[in-house]
């Protein structure tokens, strides 16, 4: 990435033309993706960790939860993917926080580029990484015996739904990354928030097995809706209600956190 690839003509008002801003956004996204080559540890987070999740949940919990690993894999794989996707949105927060504390945004601010390009570029790159991890886990699941009985269309719609939901949640991650003092605080907050939400949903267990008061929460838990929708699209079945509620939750999260995240971003950058 050079100044030549990022810079573009600026209008008299000081604004970058939309097409130039879009090119700059994709340049910043490519910068984030290429960084994986220079930081192999990111491959652990986006490749090895998802593989470990699938193996551990399937072969450690499968016999106890569903009688056999194969039976549990059919139920749990969509939930494992949803959980992994939500955890990975916090990598966006940590990366933005690191760039902020190391002065990367200070250097980018001196270039005549759209102010939103580094932020949108980061989110775009991270969504590509989410997609990579999702496809990797699906591929591993297929190798272990999982079957997509909902057809290729169901697979595509389910994948799109998870990515859209991740994009919405990414705005909450941006806000956390902007407000947290350091990457360690981002990570601590992520586990405190995401861990209980995912484990009190239908991602890993049937909601009917929970106590009544916990079922009431699980029934409105966005992770429950997303897990049920993704599971139904992959395996076939009635999915209209969970898909609708997943989209409602995604829209609500974006409406709440997008303006807050952008306000915090503009204040920092």
């Amino acid at each position: 990435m050079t100044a030549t690839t990022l810079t573009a003509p600026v209008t008299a008002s000081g604004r970058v033309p939309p097409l130039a801003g879009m090119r700059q956004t994709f340049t910043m996204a490519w910068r984030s993706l290429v960084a994986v080559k220079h930081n192999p540890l990111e491959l652990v987070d986006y490749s090895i960790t998802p593989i470990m999740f699938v193996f551990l949940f399937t072969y450690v919990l499968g016999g106890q939860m569903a009688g056999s690993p194969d039976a549990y894999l059919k139920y749990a794989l969509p939930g494992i993917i949803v959980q992994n996707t939500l955890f990975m949105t916090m990598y966006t927060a940590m990366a933005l926080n690191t760039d902020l504390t190391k002065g990367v945004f200070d250097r980018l601010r001196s270039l005549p580029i759209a102010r939103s390009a580094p932020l949108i570029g980061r989110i775009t790159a991270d969504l590509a990484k989410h997609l990579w991890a999702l496809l990797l886990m699906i591929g591993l699941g297929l190798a272990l015996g999982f079957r997509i009985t909902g057809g290729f269309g169901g697979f595509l719609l389910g994948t799109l739904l998870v990515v859209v939901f991740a994009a919405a949640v990414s705005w909450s991650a941006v806000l956390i990354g902007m407000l947290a003092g350091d990457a360690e605080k981002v990570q601590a907050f992520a586990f405190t928030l995401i861990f209980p939400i995912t484990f009190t949903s239908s991602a890993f267990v049937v909601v009917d097995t929970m106590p009544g008061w916990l079922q009431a929460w699980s029934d409105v838990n966005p992770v429950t809706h997303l897990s049920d929708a993704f599971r139904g699209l992959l395996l076939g079945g009635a999915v209209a209600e969970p898909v609708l509620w997943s989209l409602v939750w995604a829209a609500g999260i974006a409406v709440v956190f997008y303006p807050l995240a952008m306000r915090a971003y503009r204040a920092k950058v």
Side-chain angles (χ1 to χ4, degrees), residues 57-107:
F57 274 92
T58 301
Y59 292 107
V60 175
L61 300 179
Q64 175 67 33
M65 301 297 290
S68 71
D70 290 341
Y72 189 60
L73 178 66
K74 182 177 180 179
Y75 179 86
L77 181 62
I80 297 171
I81 292 173
V82 168
Q83 182 213 39
N84 184 71
T85 300
L86 292 178
F87 271 114
M88 284 173 55
T89 60
M90 290 301 110
Y91 296 159
T92 301
M94 289 187 285
L96 287 173
N97 184 273
T98 300
D99 283 350
L100 193 66
T101 55
K102 289 188 175 181
V104 173
F105 284 115
D106 292 333
R107 295 194 293 272

XYZ file of all heavy atoms in Angstrom, residues 57-107:
392
model
N -16.323 -29.725 20.499
C -17.758 -29.829 20.764
C -18.312 -31.163 20.271
O -19.162 -31.763 20.928
C -18.501 -28.668 20.089
C -18.549 -27.421 20.911
C -17.573 -26.444 20.776
C -19.558 -27.215 21.834
C -17.611 -25.288 21.530
C -19.602 -26.060 22.603
C -18.624 -25.092 22.454
N -17.831 -31.624 19.119
C -18.374 -32.855 18.548
C -17.967 -34.087 19.332
O -18.818 -34.914 19.714
C -17.919 -33.005 17.082
O -18.375 -31.880 16.323
C -18.481 -34.283 16.476
N -16.669 -34.212 19.614
C -16.178 -35.469 20.180
C -16.056 -35.466 21.706
O -15.983 -36.530 22.315
C -14.832 -35.823 19.542
C -14.993 -36.177 18.090
C -14.577 -35.305 17.089
C -15.589 -37.373 17.712
C -14.747 -35.612 15.751
C -15.761 -37.691 16.375
C -15.338 -36.812 15.401
O -15.523 -37.129 14.069
N -16.069 -34.305 22.337
C -16.052 -34.254 23.800
C -17.472 -34.214 24.358
O -17.796 -34.914 25.320
C -15.245 -33.032 24.300
C -15.333 -32.918 25.817
C -13.782 -33.145 23.872
N -18.338 -33.401 23.734
C -19.696 -33.239 24.241
C -20.730 -34.080 23.496
O -21.824 -34.302 24.020
C -20.111 -31.765 24.160
C -19.271 -30.758 24.944
C -19.804 -29.343 24.727
C -19.269 -31.095 26.424
N -20.405 -34.534 22.291
C -21.397 -35.187 21.447
C -22.074 -36.386 22.066
O -23.302 -36.507 22.042
N -21.288 -37.294 22.650
C -21.870 -38.496 23.249
C -22.794 -38.180 24.409
O -23.860 -38.787 24.553
N -22.419 -37.229 25.241
C -23.228 -36.845 26.389
C -24.484 -36.084 25.975
O -25.571 -36.293 26.526
C -22.400 -35.978 27.335
C -23.170 -35.415 28.526
C -23.600 -36.497 29.489
O -22.888 -37.482 29.655
N -24.759 -36.330 30.101
N -24.358 -35.196 24.985
C -25.448 -34.301 24.640
C -26.490 -34.949 23.730
O -27.678 -34.627 23.820
C -24.888 -33.046 23.949
C -23.902 -32.257 24.795
S -24.638 -31.592 26.292
C -25.688 -30.333 25.594
N -26.059 -35.818 22.824
C -26.999 -36.357 21.837
C -26.886 -37.866 21.647
O -27.532 -38.412 20.755
C -26.788 -35.663 20.498
N -26.085 -38.526 22.444
C -25.947 -39.970 22.318
C -24.806 -40.410 21.430
O -24.269 -41.503 21.600
N -24.409 -39.559 20.488
C -23.287 -39.883 19.610
C -22.744 -38.596 19.012
O -23.483 -37.609 18.855
C -23.722 -40.821 18.486
O -24.550 -40.140 17.556
N -21.442 -38.566 18.693
C -20.871 -37.375 18.063
C -21.558 -37.011 16.750
O -21.770 -35.832 16.461
C -19.403 -37.757 17.835
C -19.117 -38.776 18.881
C -20.392 -39.558 19.015
N -21.925 -38.018 15.950
C -22.555 -37.738 14.657
C -23.885 -37.018 14.836
O -24.197 -36.060 14.113
C -22.771 -39.042 13.877
C -21.462 -39.648 13.406
O -20.457 -38.912 13.353
O -21.444 -40.851 13.093
N -24.689 -37.469 15.782
C -25.991 -36.844 16.017
C -25.834 -35.424 16.531
O -26.585 -34.525 16.139
C -26.803 -37.684 17.004
N -24.855 -35.228 17.408
C -24.671 -33.892 17.963
C -24.109 -32.932 16.923
O -24.458 -31.753 16.901
C -23.745 -33.940 19.171
C -23.677 -32.624 19.923
C -24.821 -32.064 20.476
C -22.476 -31.935 20.063
C -24.772 -30.862 21.169
C -22.421 -30.732 20.747
C -23.567 -30.203 21.292
O -23.516 -29.000 21.961
N -23.237 -33.424 16.048
C -22.671 -32.575 14.997
C -23.773 -32.005 14.120
O -23.729 -30.818 13.747
C -21.699 -33.385 14.138
C -21.058 -32.641 12.960
C -20.129 -31.538 13.453
C -20.296 -33.615 12.060
N -24.784 -32.821 13.807
C -25.879 -32.354 12.959
C -26.616 -31.191 13.606
O -27.042 -30.259 12.924
C -26.843 -33.507 12.691
C -27.998 -33.136 11.769
C -28.880 -34.341 11.474
C -30.032 -33.955 10.541
N -30.900 -35.116 10.221
N -26.767 -31.244 14.927
C -27.474 -30.162 15.619
C -26.550 -28.982 15.894
O -26.929 -27.819 15.702
C -28.043 -30.669 16.945
C -28.758 -29.579 17.720
C -30.091 -29.287 17.477
C -28.085 -28.829 18.685
C -30.745 -28.279 18.171
C -28.729 -27.808 19.378
C -30.058 -27.544 19.121
O -30.691 -26.531 19.793
N -25.342 -29.251 16.362
C -24.498 -28.202 16.944
C -23.658 -27.426 15.936
O -23.288 -26.285 16.218
C -23.578 -28.803 18.012
N -23.332 -28.006 14.781
C -22.418 -27.320 13.864
C -22.893 -25.915 13.497
O -22.088 -24.971 13.544
C -22.192 -28.149 12.599
C -21.229 -27.520 11.587
C -19.837 -27.353 12.180
C -21.160 -28.357 10.304
N -24.159 -25.705 13.143
C -24.583 -24.325 12.852
C -24.388 -23.390 14.045
O -23.974 -22.230 13.867
C -26.073 -24.482 12.506
C -26.196 -25.892 12.023
C -25.240 -26.663 12.877
N -24.672 -23.879 15.256
C -24.475 -23.056 16.444
C -23.021 -22.753 16.710
O -22.664 -21.647 17.135
N -22.147 -23.729 16.464
C -20.711 -23.506 16.643
C -20.229 -22.420 15.684
O -19.429 -21.550 16.051
C -19.930 -24.820 16.404
C -20.327 -25.870 17.438
C -18.428 -24.572 16.464
C -19.770 -27.260 17.141
N -20.718 -22.456 14.453
C -20.330 -21.451 13.461
C -20.824 -20.070 13.886
O -20.086 -19.075 13.781
C -20.884 -21.826 12.073
C -20.186 -23.089 11.561
C -20.692 -20.679 11.080
C -20.766 -23.642 10.274
N -22.052 -19.984 14.379
C -22.589 -18.709 14.842
C -21.760 -18.173 16.009
O -21.397 -16.995 16.038
C -24.066 -18.860 15.259
C -24.552 -17.625 16.009
C -24.932 -19.096 14.026
N -21.450 -19.034 16.969
C -20.642 -18.592 18.106
C -19.277 -18.095 17.655
O -18.816 -17.028 18.082
C -20.454 -19.738 19.107
C -19.648 -19.336 20.339
C -18.806 -20.474 20.904
O -18.225 -21.257 20.144
N -18.737 -20.572 22.218
N -18.626 -18.850 16.777
C -17.304 -18.457 16.305
C -17.355 -17.124 15.567
O -16.471 -16.277 15.731
C -16.751 -19.541 15.385
C -15.335 -19.259 14.922
O -14.382 -19.327 15.682
N -15.193 -18.919 13.653
N -18.406 -16.921 14.775
C -18.553 -15.667 14.038
C -18.696 -14.483 14.984
O -18.078 -13.428 14.779
C -19.773 -15.740 13.100
O -19.599 -16.820 12.175
C -19.946 -14.439 12.329
N -19.497 -14.641 16.033
C -19.690 -13.548 16.982
C -18.395 -13.238 17.731
O -18.058 -12.074 17.951
C -20.802 -13.900 17.970
C -22.211 -13.987 17.371
C -23.211 -14.387 18.436
C -22.611 -12.666 16.732
N -17.677 -14.267 18.133
C -16.397 -14.032 18.805
C -15.422 -13.321 17.876
O -14.654 -12.452 18.298
C -15.791 -15.350 19.290
C -16.220 -15.750 20.671
C -16.991 -16.872 20.871
C -15.860 -14.983 21.770
C -17.400 -17.242 22.148
C -16.256 -15.337 23.051
C -17.039 -16.473 23.241
N -15.446 -13.683 16.604
C -14.505 -13.089 15.657
C -14.792 -11.613 15.392
O -13.901 -10.881 14.974
C -14.522 -13.870 14.344
C -13.777 -15.198 14.399
S -13.988 -16.205 12.903
C -13.449 -15.068 11.640
N -16.031 -11.164 15.622
C -16.299 -9.734 15.438
C -15.477 -8.900 16.408
O -15.175 -7.734 16.133
C -17.793 -9.413 15.637
O -18.197 -9.792 16.965
C -18.654 -10.123 14.608
N -15.106 -9.487 17.537
C -14.298 -8.751 18.509
C -12.857 -8.564 18.028
O -12.136 -7.717 18.534
C -14.307 -9.469 19.859
C -15.649 -9.392 20.561
S -16.202 -7.681 20.899
C -17.587 -7.535 19.757
N -12.428 -9.370 17.037
C -11.110 -9.137 16.450
C -11.085 -7.787 15.742
O -10.045 -7.124 15.679
C -10.751 -10.254 15.463
C -10.617 -11.621 16.067
C -10.725 -12.766 15.280
C -10.377 -11.784 17.433
C -10.602 -14.041 15.833
C -10.260 -13.051 17.984
C -10.375 -14.170 17.183
O -10.252 -15.412 17.735
N -12.234 -7.393 15.197
C -12.337 -6.070 14.593
C -12.070 -4.998 15.636
O -11.323 -4.042 15.396
C -13.735 -5.859 13.985
O -13.984 -6.860 13.002
C -13.857 -4.481 13.349
N -12.677 -5.171 16.813
C -12.484 -4.202 17.900
C -11.024 -4.148 18.323
O -10.451 -3.060 18.506
C -13.373 -4.560 19.080
N -10.392 -5.306 18.472
C -8.999 -5.334 18.918
C -8.061 -4.739 17.870
O -7.122 -4.010 18.207
C -8.588 -6.773 19.258
C -9.232 -7.300 20.535
S -8.600 -8.909 21.064
C -9.387 -9.989 19.889
N -8.326 -5.042 16.586
C -7.469 -4.506 15.528
C -7.594 -2.988 15.438
O -6.585 -2.272 15.295
C -7.831 -5.142 14.193
N -8.818 -2.470 15.531
C -9.005 -1.022 15.477
C -8.361 -0.351 16.681
O -7.739 0.713 16.559
C -10.500 -0.694 15.444
C -11.229 -0.990 14.132
C -12.724 -0.786 14.298
C -10.703 -0.103 13.009
N -8.501 -0.971 17.846
C -7.896 -0.404 19.048
C -6.381 -0.372 18.930
O -5.732 0.610 19.318
C -8.327 -1.216 20.272
C -7.827 -0.632 21.576
O -6.717 -0.931 22.008
N -8.631 0.210 22.192
N -5.805 -1.446 18.368
C -4.353 -1.496 18.178
C -3.889 -0.429 17.195
O -2.893 0.270 17.433
C -3.936 -2.891 17.678
O -4.314 -3.870 18.641
C -2.431 -2.953 17.458
N -4.602 -0.289 16.070
C -4.251 0.746 15.096
C -4.348 2.131 15.718
O -3.526 3.015 15.426
C -5.184 0.670 13.882
C -4.830 -0.477 12.950
O -3.758 -1.086 13.137
O -5.625 -0.770 12.038
N -5.337 2.313 16.572
C -5.543 3.614 17.204
C -4.416 3.932 18.175
O -3.844 5.033 18.168
C -6.886 3.626 17.926
C -7.420 4.970 18.398
C -7.742 5.860 17.206
C -8.659 4.765 19.264
N -4.066 2.970 19.016
C -3.043 3.215 20.037
C -1.641 3.292 19.448
O -0.762 3.944 20.017
C -3.080 2.114 21.110
O -2.959 0.825 20.481
C -4.400 2.157 21.876
N -1.423 2.653 18.295
C -0.101 2.676 17.667
C 0.071 3.836 16.692
O 1.119 3.963 16.068
C 0.160 1.353 16.946
C 0.399 0.180 17.898
C 0.831 -1.054 17.144
C 1.180 -2.187 18.103
N 1.630 -3.415 17.379
N -0.959 4.654 16.537
C -0.831 5.837 15.702
C -1.040 5.614 14.231
O -0.728 6.493 13.418
N -1.587 4.438 13.847
C -1.816 4.170 12.428
C -2.806 5.171 11.854
O -2.614 5.704 10.748
C -2.333 2.732 12.229
C -2.735 2.504 10.768
C -1.269 1.727 12.645
N -3.853 5.473 12.605
C -4.853 6.421 12.123
C -4.284 7.832 12.020
O -4.717 8.629 11.183
C -6.082 6.409 13.020
C -6.975 5.213 12.813
C -7.147 4.277 13.811
C -7.622 5.021 11.602
C -7.961 3.181 13.629
C -8.443 3.918 11.401
C -8.608 2.988 12.419
N -3.327 8.148 12.859
C -2.688 9.467 12.759
C -1.959 9.616 11.427
O -1.982 10.690 10.808
C -1.703 9.665 13.915
C -2.409 9.787 15.256
O -3.575 10.226 15.259
O -1.799 9.445 16.287
N -1.313 8.545 10.978
C -0.609 8.595 9.697
C -1.597 8.659 8.529
O -1.386 9.388 7.562
C 0.311 7.379 9.555
C 1.451 7.346 10.567
C 2.507 6.338 10.188
N 2.014 4.977 10.264
C 2.053 4.227 11.361
N 2.544 4.743 12.490
N 1.610 2.995 11.345
